[in-house]
Amino acid sequence: MTVGTDPPGSLADDLAGLVGREHVRVDDGALTAYARDATPLYTARPHAVVLPGSTDEVAAVLRYATDRGVPVVPRGAGSNLCAATVPLSGGIVMALTRLNRVLEVSPAELLARVQTGVTTAALSDAAARQGLLYAPDPGSRTVSTVGGNVATCAGGLRGLKYGVTRNHVLGLEAVLPTGEVVRTGGRLWKDVAGYDLTRLLTGSEGTLAVITEVTVGLLPAPEETGTGVAYFDSLADASRAVAAVIASGVLPATLEFLDRKCVVAVEEFAGLGLRRDAGALLLFGDDGPTGAVAGTLARIGEVCADAGSPEVTLAEDVARSEALLAARRCSLPALSRLAPLTILEDATVPRHRLAEMVDRIDDIAARHDLMIATFGHAGDGNLHPTCVLDPDDGAAVERSHKAFAEIFAAAIELDGTITGEHGVGAAKLPYLADRIGNDQVALLRRIKRAFDPAGILNPGKLGS
Amino acid sequence: MTVGTDPPGSLADDLAGLVGREHVRVDDGALTAYARDATPLYTARPHAVVLPGSTDEVAAVLRYATDRGVPVVPRGAGSNLCAATVPLSGGIVMALTRLNRVLEVSPAELLARVQTGVTTAALSDAAARQGLLYAPDPGSRTVSTVGGNVATCAGGLRGLKYGVTRNHVLGLEAVLPTGEVVRTGGRLWKDVAGYDLTRLLTGSEGTLAVITEVTVGLLPAPEETGTGVAYFDSLADASRAVAAVIASGVLPATLEFLDRKCVVAVEEFAGLGLRRDAGALLLFGDDGPTGAVAGTLARIGEVCADAGSPEVTLAEDVARSEALLAARRCSLPALSRLAPLTILEDATVPRHRLAEMVDRIDDIAARHDLMIATFGHAGDGNLHPTCVLDPDDGAAVERSHKAFAEIFAAAIELDGTITGEHGVGAAKLPYLADRIGNDQVALLRRIKRAFDPAGILNPGKLGS
């Protein structure tokens, strides 16, 4: 990496020649803004920010970067929570937000094709206008980009029934670091011509290629949706209820949980009328043809009652349903209010070990004298332990790092993983070998080199 | 590859030292049997057949083969239709059929873990005994192995609603050609720790690693299933009905078609009471909670009638349902009776171009004076044009090669692909670059080298 020794002006001039001067930023404001993403505590300034307006411009910048050995960090909205888009080695941040056109929505083919910088919400809305559903709904959906969702294999609240981003991507246009444009997959739900590069790029976190266009599958929009909530005296009871729901043969769209601390924080934040004395809260929801949803929700409610829930409420209308979902969606802002620094993490265990894992988290938090509340996707076993603390309290920040290291180790010990949906980025890279082993880490590096021989793409992340 | 110059005895002795003499075959019967798979016209004898009994033995054989540069072709049941397991360069065929234990079925985690050589049917049955569904149901399910299904990303009759094998694989144990054992994914539905090697190996056709163990996700078994059939005067009418079904907001589990030639052949073969004067037949089926299926099927039936079907029949009971499904499942044996050689192919187009594609196929068949009948998965746009001919008629065989080359070109021209579910193998490799481009073929080769530096694993196939 030779950028440090070059005058910044030369890099900016070179990039201006490729994408136009108005789309290259080297001012202090831009370099500061693009020094971070949504991950706290990670900052590194790039040497330049470039905003290409076409696939050809992406390719031109990448060829230039490979020739010169300049790092390039591709980035959508920067809403990831694992420092996946922090330019650790400087170089170029390539912001893909200008590539923001919905290219087509095809009801006949049940698919949409969008440029990489379209927001998840814009894609969902474009699909909904044609009576179709784009199933993945990550928490950041109003700001996150589809390309970013693909790069991180984003999850969401409907994962139990519908799966994650990987299950809905049909094809990609992507530019290799050496400048070649490849089209993987296509418009088809079944296509096995070649290695599954579509899925390999999905979740590759901008380390293998720059995704410029995404074709996703859509589903007929469900006719009805509904939501219910069940309180429990303890998370262990709630966890047993989750197991009983699954065992009853129901796989609802949504099965989320909030622990005791989250319920209190959400109620104080949003005043939704939640029971502040609850040991845990399960939120469940489903969608389907007219008339089918009410029966499913009633059945889940009965199972929860049988599993010991002292109170089950089914939303009587869409407005109340939205309010209940808001309880889950506002967990993070509610917790964020408690202290200036919020570290939202992401570990997953087999769903029947959820309560065991939350007990471990509570023990670890107590031992390190930290406030860690946990919510997440109970049906998937995907937990979001969230630590709130004062960033100026260096000792507490240090303790939080130790606590999360122990949390990831506990997740692995319980047959789980260090990240269910947020990604590895820079934040989880130190734990990756614990999860997948050194042989597989070495293999990831060889795959990375097959795509990126000069090692310019998002260095210090996956494959490094 | 040095095998050809070695005395075969030496290879056999070496392998016997690794897996035991009783699990190494160099007799003429074995070498002839393992010279082919279910693909007609492809034959190449290996130098030895080895049947390892454990992951460690797989690793030992692979290390040996990498050290000596001996090709290894891993193989399950050999039921693939693209010559994916024909040992084109000789060497070792590694038959994985001894690794045939169902290791666990977990209703709590909705998963099963099996050794690679378990048959698809055995996995399905083990799941069903616990009230669970393994969704993929490839046509070869009674003989095909789960490892083979993963290696080819097998599809089946329920793909429209449930997806293909890739959508149900949670984790793999696999042995790299250099002998390292890696575990990808795991027991979780959400896991983004590292590149998605689980999906990269799924569909890699034994060219990157040898899969030794598979963890798959299961679903609660549906309470009911049902089937119906609609006749049409033409495949164009049937294709319009498929579009109308999708547009009506229904995504049934099964939506299959038989063209005119298939209907006649099946009726002559099985005497199911099908209308021999039909221009096309659509078979539709769904599953779901008690009471929900009948309504869905009635709705599909109405849509088909509105789209011009002169006759729609809903199966009144399970037995009739099975009989209708048999009509689709016996398309291949029915066609096989018509001539000694049956070439079953696999191309996919966007579903609204199904009729257009079948017209093209019919034109191509007529031009080359060949009998090609077509059936397949209408909902997925996945067609199986099937040519029946006399293998001793060399000119006809030659014309069939030309015809299929034109069929693949037509599929690509219609935004489709050269293989939806059967794989590339040796049979489709000549057409791969037409579908994915030279840059992507070169990338596949680099990925192959990242796994298999000595190039010993299934040479002459994907990545070669």
Side-chain angles (χ1 to χ4, degrees):
Chain A
M1 151 58 182
T2 57
V3 172
T5 55
D6 278 355
S10 140
L11 176 65
D13 288 346
D14 290 348
L15 293 173
L18 300 173
V19 304
R21 188 159 304 276
E22 66 276 33
H23 303 303
V24 178
R25 303 277 302 271
V26 288
D27 56 294
D28 191 62
L31 300 187
T32 302
Y34 287 94
R36 57 179 70 230
D37 53 29
T39 322
L41 306 176
Y42 287 83
T43 311
R45 279 164 68 97
H47 292 84
V49 178
V50 60
L51 294 101
S54 68
T55 299
D56 284 346
E57 289 184 0
V58 169
V61 172
L62 289 174
R63 269 193 302 269
Y64 168 85
T66 283
D67 286 349
R68 311 293 175 97
V70 181
V72 176
V73 179
R75 168 186 164 125
S79 52
N80 77 84
L81 293 160
C82 59
T85 51
V86 175
L88 297 177
S89 310
I92 301 164
V93 165
M94 180 186 278
L96 296 154
T97 40
R98 285 179 64 213
L99 298 173
N100 62 356
R101 282 185 303 135
V102 175
L103 300 170
E104 66 171 311
V105 176
S106 167
E109 295 181 65
L110 288 181
L111 62 78
R113 196 163 55 87
V114 301
Q115 287 187 306
T116 190
V118 165
T119 65
T120 319
L123 165 58
S124 297
D125 292 348
R129 282 194 292 275
Q130 308 255 20
L132 300 170
L133 173 74
Y134 176 61
D137 63 338
S140 53
R141 56 190 293 283
T142 53
V143 296
S144 65
T145 63
V146 177
N149 290 172
V150 173
T152 55
C153 189
L157 264 62
R158 287 192 287 240
L160 183 56
K161 181 174 182 173
Y162 290 109
V164 295
T165 299
R166 123 174 20 105
N167 302 109
H168 302 273
V169 181
L170 298 181
L172 299 173
E173 179 191 78
V175 187
L176 303 185
T178 38
E180 300 95 324
V181 178
V182 294
R183 287 195 160 266
T184 73
R187 307 173 72 85
L188 306 166
W189 295 75
K190 289 164 90 172
D191 187 355
V192 291
Y195 299 144
D196 189 349
L197 299 189
T198 306
R199 247 60 53 175
L200 180 59
L201 292 179
T202 303
S204 65
E205 302 184 3
T207 64
L208 299 181
V210 176
I211 296 163
T212 47
E213 190 186 298
V214 181
T215 304
V216 296
L218 304 174
L219 297 168
E223 292 170 352
E224 279 187 358
T225 61
T227 309
V229 65
Y231 293 95
F232 290 90
D233 292 335
S234 70
L235 197 69
D237 285 357
S239 187
R240 270 192 295 275
V242 169
V245 168
I246 303 291
S248 78
V250 180
L251 210 59
T254 295
L255 196 50
E256 302 284 310
F257 79 99
L258 277 65
D259 76 356
R260 182 189 309 266
K261 299 170 201 170
C262 285
V263 173
V264 172
V266 165
E267 186 52 26
E268 286 182 359
F269 175 70
L272 297 165
L274 305 180
R275 281 174 67 150
R276 301 164 62 106
D277 63 342
L281 180 155
L282 266 193
L283 185 78
F284 50 91
D286 203 16
D287 53 26
T290 307
V293 175
T296 304
L297 295 186
R299 197 157 147 187
I300 296 173
E302 280 164 31
V303 172
C304 287
D306 289 348
S309 170
E311 185 182 334
V312 177
T313 310
L314 304 184
E316 64 273 17
D317 53 33
V318 172
R320 187 62 195 157
S321 219
E322 289 296 324
L324 290 178
L325 284 170
R328 166 63 181 82
R329 289 205 186 269
C330 76
S331 298
L332 181 56
L335 291 169
S336 302
R337 279 211 324 177
L338 302 182
L341 177 62
T342 308
I343 305 175
L344 171 64
E345 265 305 342
D346 170 51
T348 303
V349 293
R351 67 171 76 84
H352 68 290
R353 309 192 84 164
L354 193 69
E356 195 179 346
M357 184 64 197
V358 175
D359 279 349
R360 296 270 199 121
I361 293 170
D362 287 347
D363 283 351
I364 291 165
R367 207 154 14 83
H368 290 285
D369 190 22
L370 292 165
M371 159 67 174
I372 302 182
T374 304
F375 61 95
H377 315 291
D380 303 313
N382 187 190
L383 305 101
H384 294 312
T386 304
C387 184
V388 293
L389 70 170
D390 178 355
D392 295 330
D393 181 348
V397 171
E398 194 50 46
R399 292 200 306 278
S400 77
H401 294 320
K402 287 191 182 135
F404 279 116
E406 290 176 27
I407 286 171
F408 302 139
I412 292 170
E413 196 188 321
L414 299 183
D415 277 336
T417 188
I418 57 171
T419 174
E421 59 181 8
H422 288 178
V424 173
K428 302 286 186 77
L429 200 60
Y431 310 103
L432 186 62
D434 293 340
R435 167 64 182 145
I436 67 174
N438 289 324
D439 286 339
Q440 204 171 146
V441 168
L443 179 58
L444 263 47
R445 287 187 184 131
R446 296 197 299 274
I447 293 171
K448 160 82 172 170
R449 277 201 298 274
F451 282 80
D452 183 15
I456 59 143
L457 211 50
N458 211 356
K461 316 293 170 60
L462 269 184
S464 292
Chain B
M1 150 60 182
T2 56
V3 172
T5 56
D6 279 353
S10 140
L11 177 65
D13 289 346
D14 290 347
L15 293 173
L18 300 173
V19 303
R21 188 159 305 276
E22 66 275 32
H23 303 302
V24 178
R25 303 277 302 269
V26 288
D27 56 294
D28 191 62
L31 300 186
T32 303
Y34 287 96
R36 56 180 71 230
D37 52 30
T39 321
L41 306 176
Y42 287 84
T43 310
R45 279 165 66 97
H47 292 84
V49 179
V50 60
L51 296 100
S54 69
T55 300
D56 285 347
E57 289 183 1
V58 169
V61 172
L62 289 173
R63 269 192 303 267
Y64 168 86
T66 283
D67 286 349
R68 310 295 175 96
V70 181
V72 176
V73 179
R75 168 184 164 126
S79 52
N80 78 84
L81 293 159
C82 58
T85 50
V86 175
L88 296 178
S89 310
I92 301 165
V93 165
M94 180 185 278
L96 296 153
T97 40
R98 284 180 65 214
L99 298 173
N100 63 355
R101 282 185 303 135
V102 175
L103 300 170
E104 66 172 310
V105 176
S106 167
E109 295 182 65
L110 288 180
L111 62 79
R113 195 162 56 86
V114 302
Q115 288 187 305
T116 192
V118 165
T119 66
T120 320
L123 165 58
S124 296
D125 292 349
R129 281 195 293 275
Q130 307 256 18
L132 301 170
L133 173 74
Y134 177 61
D137 63 338
S140 53
R141 55 189 295 283
T142 54
V143 295
S144 65
T145 64
V146 177
N149 290 172
V150 173
T152 54
C153 190
L157 265 62
R158 287 192 286 240
L160 184 55
K161 182 174 183 172
Y162 290 110
V164 295
T165 299
R166 121 172 22 103
N167 302 109
H168 302 274
V169 181
L170 298 180
L172 299 172
E173 180 191 78
V175 187
L176 302 184
T178 38
E180 301 95 324
V181 179
V182 294
R183 288 195 157 267
T184 74
R187 306 173 72 86
L188 307 165
W189 295 76
K190 289 164 88 172
D191 187 354
V192 291
Y195 299 143
D196 190 349
L197 299 190
T198 306
R199 247 60 53 177
L200 180 58
L201 292 179
T202 303
S204 65
E205 303 184 2
T207 64
L208 298 181
V210 176
I211 295 163
T212 47
E213 191 186 297
V214 181
T215 304
V216 295
L218 304 173
L219 296 168
E223 292 169 351
E224 281 187 357
T225 60
T227 309
V229 65
Y231 293 96
F232 291 89
D233 293 334
S234 69
L235 198 70
D237 285 356
S239 187
R240 269 192 296 275
V242 169
V245 168
I246 302 290
S248 78
V250 179
L251 210 59
T254 295
L255 196 50
E256 302 284 309
F257 79 100
L258 277 66
D259 76 357
R260 182 190 310 266
K261 300 171 201 168
C262 285
V263 173
V264 172
V266 165
E267 186 52 25
E268 286 182 359
F269 174 69
L272 296 164
L274 305 179
R275 282 175 65 149
R276 301 164 63 105
D277 63 341
L281 180 156
L282 266 193
L283 184 78
F284 50 92
D286 203 16
D287 53 25
T290 306
V293 175
T296 304
L297 295 187
R299 197 157 147 186
I300 297 173
E302 281 164 31
V303 172
C304 287
D306 289 347
S309 169
E311 185 182 335
V312 178
T313 311
L314 304 184
E316 64 275 15
D317 54 32
V318 172
R320 187 62 195 156
S321 220
E322 289 296 324
L324 290 178
L325 283 170
R328 165 62 180 80
R329 289 205 186 270
C330 76
S331 299
L332 182 56
L335 292 168
S336 303
R337 280 211 322 178
L338 303 182
L341 177 63
T342 309
I343 304 176
L344 171 64
E345 264 305 344
D346 171 51
T348 303
V349 293
R351 67 170 76 82
H352 68 291
R353 309 191 83 165
L354 193 68
E356 195 178 346
M357 184 65 197
V358 176
D359 280 349
R360 296 271 198 119
I361 293 170
D362 287 347
D363 284 351
I364 292 166
R367 207 152 17 80
H368 291 285
D369 189 23
L370 292 165
M371 159 67 173
I372 301 182
T374 304
F375 61 95
H377 314 291
D380 302 314
N382 187 189
L383 307 101
H384 293 312
T386 303
C387 184
V388 293
L389 70 170
D390 178 354
D392 295 330
D393 181 349
V397 171
E398 194 50 45
R399 292 201 307 278
S400 77
H401 293 320
K402 285 191 182 134
F404 278 117
E406 290 176 27
I407 287 171
F408 301 139
I412 292 171
E413 194 188 322
L414 299 183
D415 277 336
T417 188
I418 57 171
T419 172
E421 58 180 9
H422 288 177
V424 174
K428 302 287 186 78
L429 201 60
Y431 310 104
L432 186 62
D434 293 340
R435 166 64 182 145
I436 67 174
N438 288 324
D439 285 339
Q440 205 172 145
V441 168
L443 180 57
L444 262 47
R445 288 186 183 131
R446 296 198 298 274
I447 294 170
K448 161 83 172 168
R449 276 202 298 274
F451 281 80
D452 182 14
I456 58 144
L457 212 49
N458 210 357
K461 316 293 170 61
L462 269 184
S464 291

